[in-house]
Amino acid sequence: MEKREYNYITGESLGGQSATNRPVAIMVDNSKYALPQYGISSAEIIYEMVTEGGITRLMAVYSDLDDVVLVGPVRSARDQFVQFVLPLNAIYVHIGTSIYANDMLNFYHYQDIDGLYLGVTSFDFDREREKTYAHEHCWFTKANLIRDGIAATGINTTGNLYPAFNFADYKEEPVLLENGSDATDIAYRYSDYTDVAFHYNADDGKYYKDTYGSAHMDAATGTQLSFDNVLLLNTTVSLYPDGLCTSFDLSQGEGMYFYRGKYIPVKWSKGEPENPLQITDTEGNLIEINVGKSYVGIIDTGMLSTLTIAGAVQTVEGGNDIQAAE
């Protein structure tokens, strides 16, 4: 496969160098009782999806292992996230798995960094934090620990690389959503437990994320999470036969792409777990995602009634309305 001279996770220039090293994807605890988190503001893509009990989990993706200074708290794998790890060929870092994630990793013979087996080889336990936090909210990792896990498992850090999106050319001007609708404020709920909001800052062209009614902060840097691109994709979310773990239909669906205070409706498709995410316009034409950091949120279609964008009421398929923001 041709090596492209840009960052496969952000689409940004690599200064004439070719991308060779596999990205790293780390599962991060996102319950209210796990906050604050560390190291997630340097992630170049964050995926968010609901897991058990309406709690979401984050998957933070880094193109460069050196950017993993201290990340956590680290939690277990879920199969819906594995399906985004596979097409990126990312080194997957987590502590434990659901049975469905474990089955998928085994089916694809996919080597990972699992704290259930590697323990302190690849993860640090914060005993000071444990004084006020539950045990499961106290595990962290960083670059040198992940490298120790790579050495212990024999994982190859190079290999085929695949772009996260169909990126716009970094040598050209950004693709502005000139015909899009205004979207300076976005708010919605993944569940009765988890709410999310984004606020556009015209000064730097980024969307700043809130969660649980407050700014979503990285305690390591003291900065709020911010993104150039926000993709909100909807699909059917149900429960597996165990009645606990969530099952996502990741074949195809509809959604919205937000960029620089505007949004357009999009369609998305994926299909098999190893297939990449494709984003198209409503006519099915592949669109270009602008370079920079991205947020990908996948929401149950049934929760679209909680979505508010700027000021306009939009109608979505299925009879749900996107309400005017207050």
Side-chain angles (χ1 to χ4, degrees), residues 29 36 164 197-198 243 253 286 295 320:
D29 198 337
F198 290 92
L286 200 63
Y295 172 90
N320 294 313

Side-chain angles (χ1 to χ4, degrees), residues 64-261:
D64 189 341
L65 179 55
D66 288 336
D67 290 335
V68 184
V69 178
L70 178 70
V71 175
V74 181
R75 287 303 301 272
S76 54
R78 294 293 181 271
D79 64 288
Q80 59 264 40
F81 292 97
V82 174
Q83 295 186 61
F84 289 92
V85 169
L86 294 173
L88 295 178
N89 194 23
I91 297 171
Y92 194 33
V93 181
H94 58 95
I95 300 176
T97 70
S98 69
I99 186 173
Y100 308 103
N102 188 62
D103 287 349
M104 189 171 289
L105 289 166
N106 286 337
F107 179 83
Y108 286 96
H109 306 287
Y110 204 85
Q111 287 183 293
D112 52 349
I113 304 292
D114 185 353
L116 189 64
Y117 301 102
L118 291 169
V120 294
T121 298
S122 290
F123 301 89
D124 273 336
F125 185 74
D126 189 334
R127 297 199 177 278
E128 185 64 27
R129 182 177 167 104
E130 190 190 23
K131 293 178 181 178
T132 54
Y133 285 79
H135 182 275
E136 65 268 22
H137 303 321
C138 298
W139 288 95
F140 295 82
T141 194
K142 50 190 174 182
N144 65 304
L145 293 173
I146 295 174
R147 287 193 178 93
D148 289 343
I150 288 170
T153 55
I155 290 175
N156 195 342
T157 59
T158 61
N160 290 332
L161 300 179
Y162 306 96
F165 306 109
N166 177 46
F167 285 112
D169 191 333
Y170 66 82
K171 298 184 293 293
E172 305 293 337
E173 290 297 314
V175 180
L176 300 179
L177 308 182
E178 295 177 344
N179 295 323
S181 302
D182 291 339
T184 56
D185 292 282
I186 311 157
Y188 60 93
R189 304 191 70 90
Y190 281 104
S191 66
D192 291 340
Y193 183 91
T194 306
D195 60 85
V196 167
F198 290 92
H199 308 289
Y200 178 66
N201 184 339
D203 291 337
D204 60 10
K206 297 181 183 295
Y207 281 96
Y208 286 76
K209 186 176 187 282
D210 290 352
T211 191
Y212 303 122
S214 300
H216 197 162
M217 303 296 292
D218 181 341
T221 61
T223 57
Q224 186 176 2
L225 299 192
S226 63
F227 303 90
D228 300 284
N229 304 299
V230 173
L231 286 160
L232 182 59
L233 311 178
N234 56 276
T235 190
T236 301
V237 180
S238 57
L239 292 178
Y240 277 112
D242 65 3
L244 181 65
C245 291
T246 47
S247 173
F248 282 68
D249 177 0
L250 294 179
S251 57
Q252 61 183 348
E254 298 183 346
M256 301 168 198
Y257 172 39
F258 300 86
Y259 182 75
R260 293 197 179 180

